[in-house]
Amino acid sequence: MPEATTTASAPPAKVTLWTPFMYALFRAIWIAGLVSNVGTWMQNVAGVWLVTTLTTSALLVALMQTATSLPAFLLSMPAGVMADLVDRRRLLLLTQGFMAVVATALGVLTLNNGISAYGVLGFTFLLGMGAALNAPIWQSIATELVPRPALGSAITLNGVSNNIARAIGPALGGAIIAYYSAGWVFLLNGVSFLGTWAVVYFWKRQPTVTSGPAENFIGALRAGMRYVQYSPAIYGVLVRTFAFSFGAAAMWGLVSVVVARRLHLSSGHYGVMLSWLGAGAVTGAIIMGRAGSRLNFNQRVLLGVLAFVGTNTALALVNQIYILYAVMFVSGIAWLLVMTSFSTTVQLSVPRWVQARVISVYMLVFQAGLSVGSLVWGELADHLTLETSLLAAAGWMLASTLLALPFPMRSAEGLNLDPADDRPHTVGNGTIDPDDGPVLVTIEYHVEPENWAAFHTAAEQLKRLRLRDGALRAGVFADVNDPTRISEFFYLATWGEHQRQHHRFTREDQVVEAAVRRFHSGPEAPRVTHLLAFPNTSNVEEATPIATQESQR
C-alpha cells in the first residue's frame, strides 16, 4: 500500500493528463475510486429495479432519486465544514466504512427476502448521506496528492473515473440482476467501499498544523460563506455553474423522454445514449490532455456551453437515433470540458484552510441548478411540448454565454495561497481570552493628496480581503482637520477571530496589502492599534492598551 504523506516532489517540466499517475498515492486512490464508482452506478440500477419489482407505486420509484439527492442538499455545507475542521483521512475512513456497512446490510436483507420498497428507500437515503459527507472531502484531497501544477489533470482524471463507471456500471449491474439477484449487486458495492477504505487506511497523511484558536462549527460555517461572498472569482464561478447546470438539466432530465415518447424506442437505446455520453467524456479527457493548454478556462466553458446549445436543439428536432448517438458523444466531451474547468478554478482559487467549505458550496450550487432545472424543463414539457422545453433550454444556454462578460473565469494557476505569516503574534499582555470582543483594528497612514484616488482604489481591494477573512465591517476614514491622515479600520466579533484572521492571510493577499502601504509617506511605519471592547469593571486593573508600530494586521 502507498505510504506517501504529501506531494513530496515537483511535477515534470511538462504536465500532461497522465502526470498525476506518477504519484503512487493518487494512483492507488484513483483506482480504488474507479471501482467504488462502478459499484455506485451498479447500486443505482439495482435499487431502482428492486423498488420497481416490490411495488406498483410510480411515486416510490421516483422517490429513489430524491433519496439519493436530498442528502446532498442537507449535508453538503456541514460536510465541507467538518472536512476543514477534522482530519480528512479519518473522515474518509468513517464515510467509506459507513457506506460499506449500509450496502452490505441491504444486500444481506435482499438475499434473505427481508426488504420492502420503503426499506430500500431508507437504505438508499443512508447511502446518500454517506456520499454527501464524503464528496467535499474526496474533492479536496486532490490538492494533497499531487503538486499544484498537476491539479487540473488530477481533477480531469477524477471526472474520467466517474464517466467510465457511468458507461459500464449500469450494464454490469443489470447483467448481475438478470442472472443472479439485486442483493449480490449491493454486496459487491459494499466490497468496493472496503477497497477504498483500505487504501485510505494505509495513507500516512501528515497531520495538519493549525494556527490560532480553533474554530467552532457555526463559526466555521459562517467563515466559509463569508469567504465565498467576498471572493469575486469564486462567486463568478458559482453563478456560471448554476446557469450551466440549470440549462444542462434539460438533457439529463428529458433524454429518456425523447427516446421513449418522441422516437418510440426501447430502454436499450436509452442505455446506449448514456454509454455514448460516457465515452465522449473519456475522449474529452484525452483531448484536453493533448490540446487543453491551448485553451483557457473561459474558452473551454464557452465551447462547452455552445455544444450544449446544439445538444438540446438536436434532442428537440433530430429524429435519427444514430445522429443523436453522435450528439451525445459530443455532449460528453463538452460536459467534461465545462465541469473540470469550473472545479479546477474553484480548487486553485482557495487556500487550504477553507477549501472543503468552498467546494461544498460549489457542489450545492451545481446540484441546485440540476434539480431546479429538471423541475422547470419537465413542467414546461408537460404544459407545452417536449420540443418547446428543449428549445427553451437551448435558448437559455445561448443567453448564458453573456455571463462571461460580468463573470469572467480568472486564471488561478499562478496564485500563491500559502499562509503569509505563521509567526506568533504577541500583541497584548497575553491575558486576552479568545472569546473577548468585539475588536476594532485601526491602521493610520499618511497619504499625499495626489495619491488619494489611487490609495482609495487599493484600499477597496484590501477591504474586501478583511471582510473575506473575518471582519464584520471595514472601511477607510480621513481626518477632517488633516485629510492626509487616513485611517483604515476593520471590526471583528472576537479576539480569537482576529487571531485566525492573521493566519488566513496569504502571500497573494500580501501583494494587495503592499499596494496600499506603498502610498504611506510618513517617517515611520503605519501605526496599528487594536481596541478591545471596554472590559468589565472587575478586570479594569488588568486591562492594558494594545497598540504597536509594527505591521500587525
Side-chain angles (χ1 to χ4, degrees):
M1 288 292 179
E3 296 186 357
T5 55
T6 63
T7 305
S9 58
K14 182 179 180 181
V15 175
T16 69
L17 175 65
W18 315 112
T19 298
F21 284 145
M22 294 173 55
Y23 302 92
L25 183 57
F26 177 85
R27 188 168 62 246
I29 286 183
W30 188 88
I31 294 171
L34 174 61
V35 174
S36 182
N37 286 336
V38 171
T40 297
W41 281 99
M42 290 167 56
Q43 171 92 29
N44 292 342
V45 170
V48 172
W49 182 260
L50 183 58
V51 171
T52 303
T53 61
L54 292 174
T55 180
T56 58
S57 171
L59 176 60
L60 290 181
V61 176
L63 284 176
M64 283 292 290
Q65 181 59 42
T66 303
T68 301
S69 59
L70 182 59
F73 285 100
L74 300 177
L75 298 176
S76 284
M77 281 299 297
V81 172
M82 287 193 296
D84 280 329
L85 296 184
V86 183
D87 182 77
R88 292 174 182 174
R89 174 179 171 274
R90 293 182 180 180
L91 282 177
L92 279 176
L93 292 174
L94 178 63
T95 56
Q96 294 293 317
F98 172 78
M99 289 188 287
V101 170
V102 171
T104 301
L106 177 57
V108 171
L109 289 173
T110 302
L111 291 175
N112 288 279
N113 298 317
I115 196 71
S116 66
Y118 289 99
V120 178
L121 281 170
F123 276 98
T124 301
F125 184 81
L126 290 175
L127 282 171
M129 290 179 60
L133 293 171
N134 182 79
I137 314 168
W138 194 261
Q139 291 280 342
S140 60
I141 64 169
T143 57
E144 301 184 41
L145 305 180
V146 299
R148 184 178 175 87
L151 182 59
S153 296
I155 294 171
T156 300
L157 287 172
N158 286 335
V160 170
S161 170
N162 190 53
N163 281 284
I164 291 175
R166 189 200 307 275
I168 67 177
L172 186 57
I176 295 174
I177 294 170
Y179 287 97
Y180 299 99
S181 164
W184 288 108
V185 174
F186 302 144
L187 289 179
L188 288 174
N189 189 35
V191 172
S192 74
F193 289 124
L194 290 177
T196 306
W197 188 93
V199 172
V200 175
Y201 178 80
F202 287 98
W203 173 19
K204 305 302 181 183
R205 180 179 187 261
Q206 291 180 345
T208 302
V209 179
T210 57
S211 303
E215 292 182 272
N216 59 43
F217 184 86
I218 298 300
L221 181 63
R222 291 173 178 169
M225 297 299 293
R226 184 174 56 238
Y227 194 96
V228 171
Q229 180 182 359
Y230 292 106
S231 298
I234 301 298
Y235 188 80
V237 172
L238 295 181
V239 170
R240 296 183 69 178
T241 296
F242 181 86
F244 175 76
S245 60
F246 180 84
M251 184 272 288
W252 289 108
L254 297 177
V255 64
S256 62
V257 182
V258 170
V259 172
R261 297 183 186 176
R262 197 171 74 78
L263 302 179
H264 306 289
L265 298 173
S266 68
S267 59
H269 291 89
Y270 170 61
V272 174
M273 291 272 277
L274 294 183
S275 295
W276 276 105
L277 185 74
V282 174
T283 304
I286 298 173
I287 292 174
M288 285 180 59
R290 294 182 176 180
S293 60
R294 301 176 187 176
L295 301 173
N296 60 39
F297 288 146
N298 260 318
Q299 293 168 331
R300 295 180 190 181
V301 171
L302 179 61
L303 286 175
V305 171
L306 291 176
F308 263 83
V309 172
T311 298
N312 289 335
T313 302
L315 289 174
L317 303 177
V318 175
N319 295 319
Q320 299 296 322
I321 188 64
Y322 295 104
I323 296 178
L324 290 179
Y325 288 160
V327 169
M328 296 302 286
F329 181 80
V330 174
S331 301
I333 297 175
W335 178 262
L336 189 84
L337 201 67
V338 174
M339 297 311 301
T340 55
S341 297
F342 287 152
S343 183
T344 303
T345 301
V346 168
Q347 295 199 43
L348 289 177
S349 299
V350 294
R352 186 169 294 183
W353 70 267
V354 75
Q355 187 180 56
R357 277 167 277 185
V358 175
I359 289 174
S360 69
V361 174
Y362 162 73
M363 296 175 67
L364 185 62
V365 169
F366 169 69
Q367 290 291 342
L370 282 181
S371 299
V372 176
S374 297
L375 177 63
V376 170
W377 307 124
E379 284 291 309
L380 196 61
D382 281 343
H383 287 83
L384 297 176
T385 65
L386 176 62
E387 291 79 4
T388 299
S389 178
L390 288 165
L391 290 174
W396 165 273
M397 300 205 78
L398 184 61
S400 73
T401 58
L402 298 177
L403 291 173
L405 299 177
F407 302 108
M409 301 275 288
R410 296 182 173 89
S411 175
E413 294 182 0
L415 297 182
N416 186 348
L417 301 179
D418 293 333
D421 191 356
D422 289 329
R423 295 172 300 174
H425 298 277
T426 56
V427 177
N429 59 8
T431 63
I432 304 173
D433 189 281
D435 292 329
D436 286 348
V439 178
L440 177 67
V441 181
T442 64
I443 306 174
E444 185 179 310
Y445 305 91
H446 180 84
V447 181
E448 298 299 332
E450 62 269 19
N451 293 326
W452 284 349
F455 175 85
H456 182 267
T457 300
E460 281 296 308
Q461 296 184 47
L462 186 57
K463 172 185 174 180
R464 176 175 54 80
L465 299 185
R466 306 295 194 199
L467 294 170
R468 186 200 66 188
D469 288 348
L472 300 176
R473 296 186 65 186
V476 176
F477 287 87
D479 189 332
V480 293
N481 293 320
D482 181 9
T484 64
R485 181 171 170 262
I486 299 177
S487 293
E488 177 201 357
F489 84 94
F490 50 98
Y491 175 90
L492 303 103
T494 66
W495 184 253
E497 187 65 11
H498 178 50
Q499 290 179 292
R500 285 188 287 271
Q501 186 183 39
H502 277 281
H503 301 293
R504 291 167 179 167
F505 215 68
T506 67
R507 298 291 183 190
E508 205 67 33
D509 299 335
Q510 276 187 320
V511 176
V512 178
E513 185 182 53
V516 173
R517 290 177 177 268
R518 69 185 179 87
F519 293 106
H520 174 68
S521 60
E524 299 177 347
R527 177 182 175 85
V528 182
T529 305
H530 297 73
L531 303 174
L532 192 64
F534 197 81
N536 295 328
T537 55
S538 60
N539 296 328
V540 168
E541 293 182 357
E542 299 179 3
T544 60
I546 305 173
T548 178
Q549 297 290 338
E550 300 176 1
S551 175
Q552 300 279 359
R553 285 180 292 276

